[in-house]
């Protein structure tokens, strides 16, 4: 796991051209805005179409949210990527199993995206940007402790369905399953805004002379 640097998040799907690129770019841009310079977000595939660009439908989805998949190239999951991540988000349970085949010790920091989104929903936010990194280490530890409650056993609730080669409706379903989870993670990184103090009575007045 990463030590002394950014909090490293790795998104994992199968080909690394449809689901995980969307998570990578949307989560990266959202977290950069919520907590600048705290996170590093990347992605990989268990059977990656190495060197391929993301699918056009994924690029269109990312663009709708003001981000971009320009320059993206698919890459293969490997042990180094697993060991270097503070949090690994599989797009489905099959990807969690693949990650654990590389490194069984990664179990405590590996979840499906939708499971981890449920885990952070009720976590207390960090109160300053300096606390965000440690807060997220705590979120991961708590998610590992409550893993039995995060799993529903229902792929319709735990997984993001693979849209590759299945046309526009499948990509629409992917968006419905994926976007709320990404938004939940971004909200979890946002530091609450402190209200500005207002002087209700105006500046202090000189005491009246008797």
């Amino acid at each position: 796991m990463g030590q002394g640097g950014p909090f490293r998040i790795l998104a994992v799907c199968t080909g690394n051209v449809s689901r995980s690129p969307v998570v990578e770019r949307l989560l990266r841009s959202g977290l950069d805005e919520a907590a600048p310079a705290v996170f590093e977000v990347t992605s990989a595939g268990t059977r990656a179409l190495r060197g391929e660009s993301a699918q056009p439908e994924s690029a269109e989805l990312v663009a709708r949210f003001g981000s971009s998949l320009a320059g993206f190239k698919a890459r293969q999951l490997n042990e180094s990527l697993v060991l270097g991540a503070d949090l690994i988000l599989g797009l489905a349970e099959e990807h969690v199993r693949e990650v654990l085949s590389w490194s069984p010790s990664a179990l405590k920091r590996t979840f499906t995206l939708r499971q981890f989104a449920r885990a952070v929903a009720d976590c207390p936010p960090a109160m300053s940007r300096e606390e965000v990194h440690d807060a997220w280490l705590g979120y991961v530890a708590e998610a590992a402790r409550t893993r039995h409650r995060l799993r529903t056993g229902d792929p319709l609730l735990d997984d993001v369905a693979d849209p590759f080669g299945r046309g526009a409706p499948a990509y629409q379903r992917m968006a419905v399953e994926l976007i709320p989870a990404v938004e939940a993670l971004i909200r979890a990184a946002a530091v609450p805004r402190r209200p500005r103090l207002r002087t209700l009575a105006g500046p202090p007045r000189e005491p009246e002379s008797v």
Side-chain angles (χ1 to χ4, degrees):
M1 287 183 286
Q3 298 290 336
F7 187 94
R8 297 183 174 90
I9 300 175
L10 176 67
V12 178
C13 71
T14 304
N16 194 212
V17 292
S18 295
R19 291 170 288 179
S20 56
V22 174
V23 175
E24 174 189 317
R25 294 300 171 92
L26 292 186
L27 197 54
R28 180 188 296 175
S29 58
L31 293 177
D32 280 349
E33 183 175 344
V38 174
F39 295 91
E40 177 182 290
V41 187
T42 57
S43 65
T46 58
R47 291 183 291 282
L49 302 176
R50 302 184 193 205
E52 293 290 325
S53 300
Q55 291 295 287
E57 296 90 343
S58 292
E60 291 170 7
L61 175 61
V62 166
R64 291 207 302 268
F65 286 87
S67 191
S68 172
L69 277 165
F72 180 87
K73 299 296 180 185
R75 63 176 181 168
Q76 177 65 33
L77 181 70
N78 59 46
E79 186 177 14
S80 176
L81 292 175
V82 171
L83 294 177
D86 296 296
L87 171 63
I88 303 166
L89 299 171
L91 272 295
E93 280 284 3
E94 65 180 282
H95 305 123
V96 172
R97 292 192 292 270
E98 289 271 3
V99 167
L100 299 181
S101 73
W102 285 104
S103 176
S105 65
L107 175 63
K108 291 184 178 180
R109 49 197 170 88
T110 306
F111 313 88
T112 72
L113 170 69
R114 298 176 78 185
Q115 288 167 356
F116 194 73
R118 291 196 290 272
V120 301
D122 298 321
C123 288
M127 300 311 294
S128 71
R129 191 175 69 82
E130 292 71 26
E131 297 174 6
V132 171
H133 187 287
D134 287 345
W136 274 64
L137 290 175
Y139 298 163
V140 172
E142 179 64 12
R145 189 182 69 82
T146 60
R147 181 186 297 274
H148 61 289
R149 295 204 301 266
L150 299 177
R151 281 177 167 159
T152 68
D154 184 350
L156 294 177
L157 298 175
D158 287 346
D159 298 353
V160 175
D162 188 359
F164 184 75
R166 294 181 171 89
Y171 279 88
Q172 293 169 4
R173 176 182 174 184
M174 177 190 77
V176 168
E177 295 173 344
L178 183 155
I179 297 300
V182 169
E183 290 176 336
L185 268 61
I186 294 169
R187 285 194 300 271
V191 175
R193 293 181 181 273
R194 294 190 173 120
R196 296 178 64 183
L197 295 177
R198 293 188 302 164
T199 304
L200 298 178
R205 292 183 297 175
E206 294 293 330
E208 295 182 5
S209 57
V210 178

